[in-house]
Structure formats: C-alpha cells, structure tokens
Amino acid sequence: MKKYDFIMVGIGGQGIVLASDILGEVAMSAGYDVKKTDTLGMAQRGGSVVSHVRIGERVWSPLIKQGTADILVAFEKLEALRWSHYLSPDGTAIINDQTTPPLSVSLGVSRYPGDDEILNTFKKLTRNIYVIKGTKTAIEIGDARVLNMFMLGCISYLLPIEPGLWKECTAQRIPAKILEMNLTAFEKGREEMAHVDI
Amino acid sequence: MKRLLSGNEALALGAYHAGIKVAAAYPGTPSSEILETLATFKDIHAEWSTNEKVALEVALGASYAGVRAMASMKQVGLNVASDPFMAAATTGVVGGLVVVSADDPGIHSSQNEQDNRHYARMAKVPMLEPADSQEAYDLIALAFDLSEEFDTPVLLRTTTRISHAKSVVQVNRSRKEPAPAKFGHNVQKFVMLPVHARLRRPLIEQRLSKLKIFAETFPYNQIFRGSGRLGIISSGVAYQYAREVFPGASFLKLGMTYPLPERLIREFASSVERLIVIEELDPFLEENILAMGIKVQGKEFIPKSGELSPEVVERAAYQAGWLKPATEGRKIGPLAGLPPRPPVLCPGCPHTGVFFVLNTVGQRSKLLDEQGKSEKEGSLIITGDIGCYTLATYPPLQAMDTTACMGAGIGQALGLEKAGVTAPVVAVIGDSTFLHSGITGVVNAVYNQSKGTIIILDNGTTAMTGHQEHPGTGVSAQGEKTKAVELEPLVRGIGVEDVKVVNAFDVKALRAAVRGAIASPQLSVVIVRGGCSVRLKTRSGQRSIDPDKCDNCGVCLRLGCPAIQKLDEKLYIDATLCAGDACTLCEQLCPKKAIAPANQSPKEIA
C-alpha cells in the first residue's frame, strides 16, 4: 500500500477543512490508515490555513515533515508559495489560479508575488505542476464555495481510489440540496486534471 | 465500526459509551468540540456553563449524586477552574469525575503556553494522556473507572494535535447504563471545613501510593521493543513524532503520566543503552525520572517551548547525536519575505465599526508605530479581552492596548484609572466573556467609583471558538429554548446608570456613543450589538467600488475588511467575500460616495 502525504493550503473560509475531512474519510473507507490535522489561525475567516492529511499502511505522526509531502494542494497562489517547502522532490503541486491579496498587500505594506515568480519557484522543486482554474469554474457552476469539491476532484485524479467512493463520502457530509452542485464541481476538477498542461 | 474521529469527538463518544450523565464546559480552543459532540446525545445533560469554574462545580455536584460526570476545558480554563479542582481532589468523588484539559503547545489560540500536567501533580490526582483518537476513546472509559475505584477526580490531558487531529477509531462499545442519581449525606466527605479537610488530607497520600502501584500494570503503559540500543520514554502526540523519527528504537509509551510507574521505568531503563525522554513543553517526565536517580536525556536538546513536530524532534536528535543526520531528502526552509496572512476580522464583522471608531477617536494610526508602540500616552487607552476582537490589535485598526485573560480588561481599566493616567480608559469585552468573568469586574468598578467606559461587544454568540451558545443567547447547548440573560438590565442592576445600546453597523451612532461615554463623568457601559457575519444565512447587496468616482483615498481600507482589496493600485471589493447589506460600513465611510450595491449604480443612490 503506497503512502500519500497531502498538504492542503489556502485561506480560512475556502472549505479546506471539510475537503480534507472528506479526503480522510474516503481513504479510510478504501482501507488506508489515516491521520489528519488542521492548523487554523485564531479566527474563523481570512487567515492562512494548512491541513495535513496522511494516508498509508500505518501512520504515526499527524504532522508531515517539511520536504516530504507527496501532494501539495493550494487553493490560492500566495499560500502555495508559503507552504512550498513541504513538497517532496518530484512531488505533485496542484495550484488553483486564484489571487487574494492579504491585508498587508492591500495596505501597500508588502507585495504580492508575480505569477512567474510563483511558477519558477515550483519548477525548481518539481516537474509535476498542475495550475488549474478552480475558482473560475466554481463561479461558473454557481457558487465560489464549491471550490473545495473541485479541488477534491483534482486530488481524486491522482489516487487509486474509485470515484464512486468519493461521491458516497461526499454525500454523507454535504446537505442534499447542494449536493448536485458539489458533485458537478468534483467531476469538473477530475476532468480538468486530465486536460491541463503540466 | 470504523470511524475517522478527532480526539475531541472520540473523547465525547467514549464518555457517552462509558455512561456519562452530566457534561459541562466553557468553549475554548482546542477543547470546544468535546461538549459540542456530547450535546448531540439527548439522553444526557450537556451544558455550556458560564465559565470553567462553574462547569467543574456542576460536574462535581453530579458526581456527588453518584453519576458519571465530566468537565472539559482548554488549558487556561483549568486556571479558572483550579479552585473546585483542588477541592474535588480533596473531597473525592462518588460517580466517576473526569476533568479534560486540552493544552495548546505552540500557542495556536491562547494567551499563554502552559503545561497542565503540573496540575495533576499539584492536586495529586491521576492523569491519563491519549496518543491518538483511538486512545482518547479507550482511555476516557478507563478514566471513569479509575475515578470511582480510587475515589478521585481524574485529569485527562490532551494537546492540540490530539484534540484536533483525526484518526481511525474502532468504535467497539455501546452505552453503559448510567447509575441512578442518589445523594448520600456525608458531611465529612463533602463539607470541607478545616476539621474535615484535615481528615481527608492523609487519604490523598494513601490514594497516591495505591495509584503508583496501579500504574505499574496499567495496560496503556506499554513497552515496544525495537532493534536498536536507544530507549525512548514518551507520551501523547510526542510519542507519534518519536516513532516517526526513531524507527529502530525501543519505546516505553505512557498512557498514564501521573503518578509514574517507577518499577516499569527502571526495568525499561536497564534494558537499553541510552535513555531519552521526548515530551512537549516542560521536562515533566524527565524531572520525575531524574528524581528516581535514573540517567536520562531530554530537554537539553528538545525545546521546552513551542509545539514539537517530526522535524523539531529530528533536529534535536541530530544535535544530541541520538541519530546520524540523514543525507537524503530536501532541506529547504520556508521562503522568506512573503506577505503574511494573519487571521483578520471577517467581512461584515460587527466588531470592525466600533474599533474603527476607537482608532479614529483615539487618533491611533498617527500615534502608534507598526509594532503598536508609542513613547507618549495617547488620548485613549483601550484594555482588551479574549475573543475575535483581539485581532483589532493589528493595523489598520490598532485599537487594543492590553489582553491578559478573560474579564481582565475591566479590572485593568480601573487599575489604570486609579493609577492616575491622563487619558480616558475604555475596556472592551465580548458578550460571552462578559458573562464568563466580566460581571464581577463591573461590580468592582461600580463599587470603587470608576469614571471609565466599558464597551460590551454583543454579537450574540461565542464566535471565535465556533459559535457556541451562551447564557445571553436564549438557547442551550442542546438546542433547547431557555431564558436569555439580558445584558442591559443586568448592568443596570449592578448600578451602572449610563447604559447605551448601539447598532454595530452605524458608524455615526458608534462615534457619538463612544465620544459621549468618554466625556461622561460617570461609569458608562456601551453595548454594541450586531450579529456575527459568519452566521449570516443569506447575503444580499454586495458592494462594489465605482472606479470613476473612487479617488483612491484609502479610507475604506482603514476598516481592515478582507473583502476590500487593492492590487496593482486598483481598489476593488471581492463580491464573494463582501457581507453586503448586513454591513455597509465602507459605504458609510466613503467620502466620494463611490461605494454602492454592485447591481445598482451609485447615481441612483445619490
């Protein structure tokens, strides 16, 4: 049984904790041992969020060691860069093409890095980089908040777990009336991974 | 059945299966989900108490009635509850009594870092520490058994990475039938007059001696033999990090960390060439083991402050020579110079307006530097409290001068006033924290003739810890409608004559109320009322900025609203974040009237 260590990062309010919960539940249902832990700032919204999810035959620490994550899933580009040092050599980076300037940038105290800087940093770390248009697609589907299911769809593309199990676990966590929209986002994420240039 | 549970969920489920009847808590990260989960079981009483002291007293009363009871809290909560905790250690229990302390190494969400294992030693009560969710589920049941068998409260200590980490749990028990409630009168046990407390004091020592013997065979004090010559003693999540970093070592994993199994530790120590202790925070195990006369290494290399992690343990191991440094793998640190993204007040936060007003009235943007320092005393001193609003310390709001612990701001304000500062002093406190420990401060301020201002930020919930109900909301932890404690009559009843209620989203009214209260020669209370924006069910009228009218003056940015963003000199509002009609603070402030609902042109408004 191959181990996978995931670092999922973004901004409070993007639904990262729910996505990482579902990922953990899917993996458990598929027979993996699972540990996951989220680091949140003090408040509910707006701060940098990182979620560690580890699946494998037997998992000890819930925290992943820097430089050893197999898959980095970034819901926002600056956050991708912030946590890039967790990626293992030749690990896979899935980066959502969303720019959300933090307060210090809006106030003119600091500068948001350019797309080239971000990409070049990742190119030095790995060849496996997927830049995907999750936020754009989520808004097209009808609600920016389904981004987390889009990102789960992307992750599912890389794992040897069949899509049916993902949908089953999702249905247990998402209210029925918004389930369809979320499953659409999941499908779109899966599709985009198959087509995006890396 | 296999379930993926957080340590907190596992503790709650384990306690429920162990036949708990009464659970009480005050929310606090990382402990809140224990009571939240227990509250979903309708055949027990699970309550949010006004504070941790009351929570433990409720649990203690239930225990005296012969039923199993639990109080759960974060590490600093046990400071508040330390009075009944020490008393409970003296009276002992009838029904099993477990106190859960969820510690916060690394200070993710607390005002200080403290190692609550010391409380077990001070109170001379047994302490259990789970190392994952399965153990949380298993150990909580043993904690109740232990409590009843040894007539003692049991401290169950977790840390953030146990409480807030999820792992697989085999749920293999069903609910044990709770004992019927029956109070047996016993003044020598329950009435701690000195003469009775003195009688119980030697019993505590006897209990501890028996517990030491029990610890030797406690099944969760386990030895795992490795291939190497290194022996590691560890507990909790530190054990998991150690397993990761030292795959070949032998382990003595302690599930019970007070009192310690001395014979077992000696045996283990003599079976290995080199003994080390890997523990988070203080050298608690290490010093106890050193006191046994056993040679051991630990805190000489493992940091005493902050959270451990696999890399922190690994670094210490290389430094100490416990391991040969690995050559493979990537060694890069985090990138330097990235813009930070600290937690901020949310878009539509009911605290933003009043702190903007405090900032401007106190001219604090001019006064304070980036670090929030100034040599000169400004025109306003703001004493704070614990809650989301503590984030108003950061620029651009910069409207908080102190934060110590819950309720402290009101006492501090009086202290500053009586010390003779020239600036007016304003104490700010949330509704939940006001009920937690602010009321006594107001009583004190009335009694001691304060002329200051107290602002109660009433957002109708305990927001920072995840929107728990409290005595002011009119809803119980288990979702029943109950009597709401009303703040205005409460404050008036204490004797405050100048009490005003202001809409949190009306900048002009906020400014008038704050100025009026500061100018007033008597003690004033301003209740700033507005619901937490995270709880908004629907949002409408998201604002946008008309680029033709906007002259980039940046006044709206001074709110610190995360929805108002500026990139490449372009100012805009992120419609996916804006709270819209529920807020409108930026629209009220904009001198050019450039801000209006996105689907409506600004002209129509004018």
Side-chain angles (χ1 to χ4, degrees):
Chain A
M1 190 176 261
K2 189 172 160 5
K3 70 103 184 167
Y4 294 90
D5 289 342
F6 302 86
I7 291 280
M8 296 170 71
V9 303
I11 305 167
Q14 287 188 307
I16 294 163
V17 175
L18 177 60
S20 63
D21 269 0
I22 295 175
L23 168 59
E25 276 156 19
V26 168
M28 180 183 73
S29 304
Y32 289 87
D33 187 22
V34 180
K35 278 193 180 150
K36 63 150 293 197
T37 183
D38 316 302
T39 301
L40 308 156
M42 278 167 59
Q44 302 291 318
R45 297 286 183 272
S48 175
V49 170
V50 55
S51 201
H52 297 231
V53 183
R54 311 191 66 194
I55 69 175
E57 185 82 41
R58 170 84 203 240
V59 182
W60 298 105
S61 162
L63 288 171
I64 296 167
K65 249 184 355 188
Q66 296 175 12
T68 68
D70 301 290
I71 301 175
L72 174 90
V73 185
F75 285 48
E76 199 267 353
K77 284 185 289 187
L78 172 59
E79 296 313 308
L81 212 48
R82 194 185 313 284
W83 302 100
S84 56
H85 60 292
Y86 271 85
L87 200 61
S88 70
D90 292 319
T92 300
I94 306 174
I95 304 167
N96 177 33
D97 188 11
Q98 175 180 328
T99 305
T100 303
L103 213 51
S104 62
V105 170
S106 292
L107 292 171
V109 182
S110 46
R111 192 183 62 86
Y112 197 96
D115 280 359
D116 287 356
E117 271 174 87
I118 297 172
L119 212 55
N120 286 335
T121 304
F122 274 96
K123 279 182 179 163
K124 281 182 211 150
L125 295 174
T126 179
R127 289 166 299 150
N128 312 315
I129 306 165
Y130 297 81
V131 178
I132 46 98
K133 302 211 174 301
T135 305
K136 187 168 165 273
T137 311
I139 292 171
E140 280 166 14
I141 291 169
D143 194 329
R145 285 175 294 183
V146 299
L147 170 66
N148 59 351
M149 289 307 302
F150 181 94
M151 300 302 280
L152 264 190
C154 295
I155 295 169
S156 77
Y157 179 77
L158 300 173
L159 290 188
I161 301 174
E162 54 162 305
L165 199 52
W166 293 85
K167 291 177 184 170
E168 222 173 90
C169 291
T170 302
Q172 283 167 16
R173 290 297 296 267
I174 305 263
K177 71 175 183 205
I178 53 165
L179 181 62
E180 203 186 313
M181 193 195 258
N182 278 278
L183 291 179
T184 305
F186 178 85
E187 279 302 336
K188 293 272 182 197
R190 238 182 123 81
E191 276 168 33
E192 180 145 349
M193 287 293 279
H195 297 111
V196 72
D197 293 329
I198 64 165
Chain B
M1 188 182 50
K2 266 198 319 187
R3 290 183 64 187
L4 188 64
L5 297 177
S6 70
N8 283 348
E9 291 165 336
L11 283 173
L13 190 62
Y16 179 72
H17 285 169
I20 191 174
K21 183 79 187 294
V22 173
Y26 180 81
T29 310
S31 72
S32 314
E33 299 81 4
I34 300 169
L35 196 281
E36 282 180 324
T37 307
L38 279 164
T40 62
F41 301 114
K42 300 302 175 196
D43 52 346
I44 66 168
H45 172 77
E47 70 166 48
W48 291 125
S49 308
T50 47
N51 62 36
E52 295 86 351
K53 178 178 186 293
V54 176
L56 182 43
E57 288 156 356
V58 168
L60 184 59
S63 159
Y64 287 171
V67 306
R68 290 187 161 186
M70 181 162 101
S72 50
M73 57 203 68
K74 67 178 295 173
Q75 97 279 30
V76 291
L78 190 49
N79 300 340
V80 178
S82 58
D83 214 354
F85 182 66
M86 296 303 293
T90 306
T91 69
V93 306
V94 182
L97 176 65
V98 178
V99 177
V100 178
S101 166
D103 288 12
D104 183 17
I107 323 185
H108 292 282
S109 191
S110 302
Q111 64 268 36
N112 59 269
E113 190 174 61
Q114 65 182 49
D115 190 331
N116 276 10
R117 292 180 297 175
H118 297 293
Y119 271 112
R121 192 174 174 182
M122 181 161 76
K124 301 171 191 259
V125 301
M127 170 167 57
L128 306 183
E129 287 191 77
D132 58 23
S133 299
Q134 180 70 59
E135 288 196 359
Y137 176 76
D138 296 343
L139 283 179
I140 190 90
L142 295 179
F144 282 109
D145 294 345
L146 208 65
S147 170
E148 286 164 3
E149 186 182 342
F150 289 91
D151 187 10
T152 176
V154 173
L155 183 62
L156 191 142
R157 184 227 188 204
T158 72
T159 56
T160 303
R161 299 294 175 193
I162 298 299
S163 278
H164 278 182
K166 289 196 171 185
S167 59
V168 180
V169 178
Q170 282 290 350
V171 179
N172 52 11
R173 291 181 277 129
S174 52
R175 179 157 164 83
K176 185 180 155 155
E177 190 57 37
K182 184 176 175 295
F183 181 70
H185 301 269
N186 186 349
V187 296
Q188 285 197 354
K189 180 171 170 62
F190 298 137
V191 184
M192 284 304 99
L193 281 164
V195 64
H196 295 163
R198 259 179 247 130
L199 285 175
R200 294 207 60 85
R201 185 63 189 83
L203 300 180
I204 297 173
E205 297 302 327
Q206 287 170 22
R207 179 175 78 197
L208 198 56
S209 300
K210 286 182 196 153
L211 281 162
K212 279 180 184 161
I213 296 164
F214 173 85
E216 301 288 356
T217 55
F218 184 61
Y220 285 78
N221 291 337
Q222 291 166 283
I223 291 176
F224 300 96
R225 290 282 167 210
S227 52
R229 292 171 295 183
L230 204 61
I232 295 170
I233 301 179
S234 192
S235 68
V237 77
Y239 165 75
Q240 308 290 0
Y241 303 148
R243 281 303 293 243
E244 193 92 26
V245 173
F246 301 92
S250 292
F251 284 87
L252 169 56
K253 175 181 162 301
L254 297 172
M256 183 170 178
T257 45
Y258 195 79
L260 289 175
E262 187 169 340
R263 191 172 47 77
L264 188 65
I265 290 170
R266 275 186 203 289
E267 263 175 39
F268 182 70
S270 64
S271 73
V272 295
E273 271 182 32
R274 183 179 220 171
L275 185 67
I276 58 181
V277 170
I278 297 192
E279 59 187 322
E280 227 165 17
L281 302 182
D282 293 340
F284 181 82
L285 299 175
E286 186 180 339
E287 284 175 357
N288 276 289
I289 293 166
L290 283 171
M292 295 169 191
I294 297 168
K295 200 179 149 203
V296 62
Q297 282 185 304
K299 288 294 167 182
E300 195 185 331
F301 300 101
I302 306 265
K304 285 180 187 155
S305 66
E307 189 175 39
L308 296 185
S309 66
E311 50 265 314
V312 170
V313 174
E314 192 178 66
R315 209 178 305 135
Y318 294 158
Q319 209 190 345
W322 298 332
L323 282 181
K324 282 205 186 80
T327 46
E328 72 213 43
R330 173 147 55 211
K331 288 280 168 280
I332 50 161
L335 292 171
L338 292 182
R341 196 188 301 274
V344 287
L345 294 179
C346 302
C349 176
H351 304 322
T352 300
V354 66
F355 282 103
F356 174 81
V357 164
L358 287 169
N359 174 300
T360 50
V361 168
Q363 297 196 311
R364 295 171 63 88
S365 298
K366 284 181 200 154
L367 177 78
L368 302 177
D369 65 14
E370 277 288 295
Q371 270 75 47
K373 280 189 183 169
S374 169
E375 285 296 317
K376 113 174 177 244
E377 189 178 306
S379 56
L380 203 58
I381 301 170
I382 303 152
T383 59
D385 198 82
I386 310 276
C388 294
Y389 43 83
T390 315
L391 297 171
T393 310
Y394 295 132
L397 293 172
Q398 290 194 296
M400 191 78 82
D401 288 311
T402 71
T403 292
C405 58
M406 286 192 187
I410 298 176
Q412 288 173 335
L414 188 74
L416 281 155
E417 183 187 328
K418 298 297 180 189
V421 294
T422 54
V425 188
V426 176
V428 295
I429 186 164
D431 49 346
S432 183
T433 44
F434 176 72
L435 294 163
H436 177 282
S437 51
I439 300 168
T440 46
V442 178
V443 173
N444 185 64
V446 168
Y447 172 55
N448 288 299
Q449 302 177 67
S450 169
K451 296 177 175 57
T453 300
I454 298 165
I455 298 180
I456 304 176
L457 307 157
D458 182 9
N459 62 357
T461 186
T462 318
M464 190 164 74
T465 46
H467 302 100
Q468 291 82 9
E469 303 294 345
H470 63 64
T473 67
V475 180
S476 78
Q478 293 182 295
E480 293 153 335
K481 206 169 151 28
T482 177
K483 193 161 174 64
V485 174
E486 291 176 52
L487 299 182
E488 299 93 303
L490 174 60
V491 173
R492 281 186 207 280
I494 292 170
V496 182
E497 286 164 18
D498 181 13
V499 182
K500 286 197 177 61
V501 181
V502 193
N503 176 356
F505 299 101
D506 185 339
V507 179
K508 270 188 193 152
L510 286 168
R511 197 176 284 131
V514 167
R515 285 214 169 112
I518 291 168
S520 156
Q522 56 177 331
L523 177 65
S524 310
V525 169
V526 180
I527 298 169
V528 177
R529 188 160 285 153
C532 176
S533 61
V534 176
R535 299 183 114 192
L536 281 176
K537 291 212 168 62
T538 55
R539 291 185 307 153
S540 62
Q542 278 84 338
R543 266 42 183 177
S544 69
I545 299 175
D546 181 347
D548 296 335
K549 290 192 166 190
C550 174
D551 67 352
N552 250 332
C553 73
V555 167
C556 56
L557 282 172
R558 290 178 58 193
L559 287 168
C561 173
I564 305 173
Q565 299 171 1
K566 191 176 183 182
L567 202 58
D568 305 326
E569 290 309 302
K570 195 182 157 232
L571 202 53
Y572 60 94
I573 294 175
D574 183 337
T576 63
L577 297 177
C578 178
D581 295 334
C583 173
T584 75
L585 288 176
C586 58
E587 185 179 334
Q588 293 172 49
L589 291 183
C590 180
K592 296 289 173 190
K593 302 217 179 302
I595 301 178
N599 53 2
Q600 200 178 4
S601 92
K603 280 176 196 133
E604 285 166 358
I605 286 181

